[in-house]
Amino acid sequence: TALGAARTFLRTPRGKATRIILGSSSKVRRTLMDELCSEVGDGLLQYQVRTADIDEKAIRREKPEDLVTTLALAKAEAIKKKLEVEDNGNTLLITCDQVVVHEGRILEKPESEEEVRENVKGYAKSYPSTVGAIAVTELSTGKVELEIDVANIHFESIPEESVETLIKEGEVFWAAGGRLG
């Protein structure tokens, strides 16, 4: 299995020396990495977090696949510049981006409560999709592996009181399209 192969690699001298950096401030991505580390077990897989601190709104592309790819790569470049003073031998940098596409529009993190309400209400009428990109950069060589994933999401009508609770909790402001979960 892939998990078994990862465990075997991480026990080798090269695997033990591999440093992993998650280039994201996303709580969801950190949770996923924590779950992966736990699944690998034995403390074999560990990672550090660095953030790109780029102005994502300054980068625009018409096609969602182009936008998330460009943003994931821009985040990698910004973090690489911050890491130049460190020893980056045998380091993997993981950067990502995701948008929601609804009725032909690219939706990013909502900026207002009204935008969240409008998005969520629209999701019950016509289904949104998420478009995500993940870039894994080997810092010593500059080699980048890039993957794009598209997922269709099917929603039932969401009660207004549930939407208001989600707005109050605030997590919907940190997710593309105010996506719920």
Side-chain angles (χ1 to χ4, degrees):
T1 67
L3 194 55
R7 285 188 186 118
T8 299
F9 170 74
L10 291 167
R11 286 189 171 97
T12 68
R14 182 168 182 240
K16 287 178 184 176
T18 299
R19 178 175 162 213
I20 298 174
I21 299 172
L22 175 62
S24 177
S25 59
S26 165
K27 291 179 188 178
V28 172
R29 290 190 183 105
R30 280 190 242 172
T31 299
L32 291 171
M33 283 296 292
D34 290 343
E35 289 172 5
L36 178 61
C37 291
S38 177
E39 198 172 325
V40 168
D42 298 331
L44 292 171
L45 181 61
Q46 298 178 7
Y47 69 98
Q48 300 170 320
V49 174
R50 298 284 191 274
T51 57
D53 304 318
I54 63 172
D55 180 6
E56 294 183 31
K57 297 281 187 195
I59 299 172
R60 301 291 87 201
R61 299 293 183 273
E62 283 191 36
K63 294 170 66 178
E65 296 84 356
D66 293 343
L67 178 60
V68 294
T69 298
T70 302
L71 286 168
L73 294 172
K75 290 174 185 179
E77 286 303 314
I79 293 168
K80 282 172 32 181
K81 286 179 184 172
K82 290 180 181 184
L83 296 174
E84 283 181 2
V85 294
E86 299 180 28
D87 174 20
N88 292 321
N90 217 20
T91 300
L92 298 176
L93 171 61
I94 302 169
T95 53
C96 315
D97 199 73
Q98 184 177 53
V99 295
V100 170
V101 178
H102 185 245
E103 297 180 339
R105 294 182 312 138
I106 296 174
L107 306 178
E108 297 178 82
K109 295 175 185 116
E111 295 182 2
S112 69
E113 292 179 7
E114 191 52 43
E115 190 176 350
V116 172
R117 288 183 193 100
E118 180 183 312
N119 290 347
V120 172
K121 189 175 182 180
Y123 296 160
K125 294 177 186 173
S126 62
Y127 302 132
S129 298
T130 60
V131 179
I134 180 170
V136 179
T137 306
E138 188 174 348
L139 294 182
S140 63
T141 64
K143 181 180 178 189
V144 178
E145 293 289 334
L146 184 68
E147 290 289 330
I148 296 173
D149 181 66
V150 178
N152 296 312
I153 306 169
H154 299 272
F155 282 95
E156 298 292 325
S157 182
I158 299 168
E160 283 185 38
E161 55 273 7
S162 297
V163 175
E164 294 306 316
T165 299
L166 291 165
I167 288 171
K168 191 177 288 184
E169 290 172 353
E171 293 297 316
V172 292
F173 293 100
W174 295 99
R179 188 180 79 262
L180 312 168

